[in-house]
Amino acid sequence: MEDNNPPPTKPRVVCCIGDIHGYITKLQNLWSNLESCINPSDFETALVIFLGDYCDRGPETSKVLDFLIALPSKYPKQSHVFLCGNHDFAFGAFLGVLPSPPDGSEFCETWKEYEMNEEREGWYKGESFENMHLQGRRWAGNHTVKFNAVKGIDYKGSIYDAAPTFESYGVPHGSADLMKAVPKEHKKFLANLVWIHEEDDVTIKTEEGIKRCKLIAVHAGLEKNKPVEQQIKTLKAKDTRIPKVAPLSGRKDVWEIPQELTKTPTIIVSGHHAKLHIEGLRLVIDQGGGFEDQPVAAIVLPSLEIVRDTDRLVK
């Protein structure tokens, strides 16, 4: 008797790559390790989601963006998603590539709520600052407190540690010359970053076996006390009226999966938090946190395998 049931389709491999923060060698080594440990045909057609924060802290942001921009032509059968991190948002804000506020307001409106911090954070006051989003001014500023007590290291220029990004383009920190030094393709890349990405059918290994889930990728997470649909709508619209976009920059407020998403199995994957944390369907993949001595990590679905740039894989 003929079996008319088609064979089950093999789950698509999904790679979620944590914050890179200007470390080109770490990115190259991680990519090589992913290529080595994933079946070639699976890797060739993988969905690769970069979780944001490509710039700052590390020394070679410019080369990191060159690498990422080249991926779609080098791996044409893969799908690539480039999320916007809070550092990338601020970089784009300084360069003037963010979309205008949807209500026609000026970017300077975003300063008001946080003006009490302007002197301490040393906000940028150079060329084109008059109508620059709050985060662009903070990003290019000169922090008056030089030591970051939370991290136990000195700030690199601004509260965002942006000085190495300026230097990777050959200009000193806080210089308006960066606006001309950053090539058009890098500006386009930053302008096109998505604030959120959704997938309807992703497979993941769980204690109960293989599950098919929805997946939401967002740099920091979703706020637990706001309606999810409202958040998704705001993020998809890239609403730049908001001075601080919590799903890109929040901490405790975006750590957990919102209660309403627990009714339908939904993976939420993020970077941002300087932690590697896997709890049920909440995946936080940022082992490096931009620290020089920490690895950049990725998670591979459905297996939940963690791959790092420091892994020594036998080919």
Side-chain angles (χ1 to χ4, degrees):
M1 185 175 169
E2 190 178 342
D3 183 3
N4 290 323
N5 292 324
T9 55
K10 192 175 180 184
R12 186 184 194 184
V13 165
V14 180
C15 305
C16 301
I17 297 177
D19 302 26
I20 298 158
H21 277 302
Y23 287 103
I24 184 61
T25 303
K26 293 183 186 185
L27 174 57
Q28 290 166 332
N29 290 342
L30 176 62
W31 190 262
S32 178
N33 285 344
L34 286 167
E35 211 160 5
S36 297
C37 72
I38 297 171
N39 178 288
S41 62
D42 290 340
F43 187 73
E44 185 185 29
T45 58
L47 167 62
V48 185
I49 301 173
F50 289 88
L51 298 171
D53 279 1
Y54 313 110
C55 61
D56 301 342
R57 299 190 178 141
E60 294 180 308
T61 289
S62 177
K63 289 182 180 177
V64 166
L65 296 198
D66 284 337
F67 182 98
L68 299 175
I69 289 165
L71 284 178
S73 57
K74 287 184 178 177
Y75 298 85
K77 292 183 182 177
Q78 287 181 348
S79 297
H80 304 97
V81 174
F82 301 104
L83 286 180
C84 185
N86 57 314
H87 286 255
D88 315 308
F89 178 102
F91 185 11
F94 181 76
L95 296 176
V97 302
L98 296 184
S100 299
D103 62 353
S105 61
E106 299 289 326
F107 278 131
C108 57
E109 294 291 316
T110 62
W111 308 349
K112 292 180 180 177
E113 190 180 341
Y114 297 95
E115 279 177 330
M116 76 292 285
N117 300 327
E118 179 173 0
E119 190 175 334
R120 181 175 57 87
E121 293 180 352
W123 294 0
Y124 173 80
K125 291 181 181 176
E127 183 184 321
S128 303
F129 92 92
E130 295 88 352
N131 191 32
M132 184 178 285
H133 191 283
L134 166 69
Q135 301 306 332
R137 294 194 65 198
R138 295 177 80 222
W139 183 79
N142 274 290
H143 207 294
T144 57
V145 178
K146 298 305 177 191
F147 187 70
N148 184 338
V150 175
K151 295 187 174 176
I153 55 175
D154 285 343
Y155 287 107
K156 296 178 178 178
S158 69
I159 197 164
Y160 277 99
D161 298 318
T165 298
F166 280 83
E167 290 156 14
S168 80
Y169 290 97
V171 300
H173 177 68
S175 170
D177 290 344
L178 184 69
M179 298 173 190
K180 295 172 186 167
V182 174
K184 282 183 183 176
E185 58 268 27
H186 289 199
K187 290 177 180 173
K188 184 180 177 184
F189 176 82
L190 291 165
N192 289 339
L193 296 176
V194 296
W195 293 14
I196 190 168
H197 179 76
E198 296 178 280
E199 289 283 332
D200 288 329
D201 188 12
V202 170
T203 307
I204 187 170
K205 192 170 90 175
T206 70
E207 289 178 358
E208 297 90 45
I210 295 291
K211 267 189 184 176
R212 297 176 78 162
C213 303
K214 184 179 172 69
L215 177 143
I216 296 175
V218 58
H219 180 64
L222 292 175
E223 294 176 88
K224 60 184 177 185
N225 296 322
K226 286 188 180 175
V228 169
E229 280 307 314
Q230 177 191 322
Q231 293 186 66
I232 291 172
K233 184 179 178 182
T234 299
L235 291 165
K236 285 188 171 177
K238 297 187 178 182
D239 190 340
T240 56
R241 288 174 294 186
I242 305 167
K244 287 189 179 181
V245 182
L248 305 190
S249 62
R251 296 291 178 187
K252 290 179 182 176
D253 52 335
V254 295
W255 180 256
E256 297 169 19
I257 296 178
Q259 186 66 32
E260 66 180 282
L261 287 179
T262 59
K263 297 165 190 169
T264 307
T266 304
I267 301 161
I268 296 192
V269 60
S270 303
H272 181 62
H273 295 279
K275 287 182 173 68
L276 187 62
H277 176 86
I278 298 165
E279 185 176 353
L281 299 180
R282 181 62 171 127
L283 313 178
V284 177
I285 313 300
D286 180 25
Q287 189 169 2
F291 289 98
E292 189 174 357
D293 60 349
Q294 294 295 319
V296 173
I299 192 166
V300 181
L301 303 179
S303 68
L304 290 179
E305 181 180 1
I306 301 295
V307 181
R308 300 171 179 84
D309 71 285
T310 50
D311 295 341
R312 297 287 173 259
L313 302 179
V314 179
K315 291 195 179 182

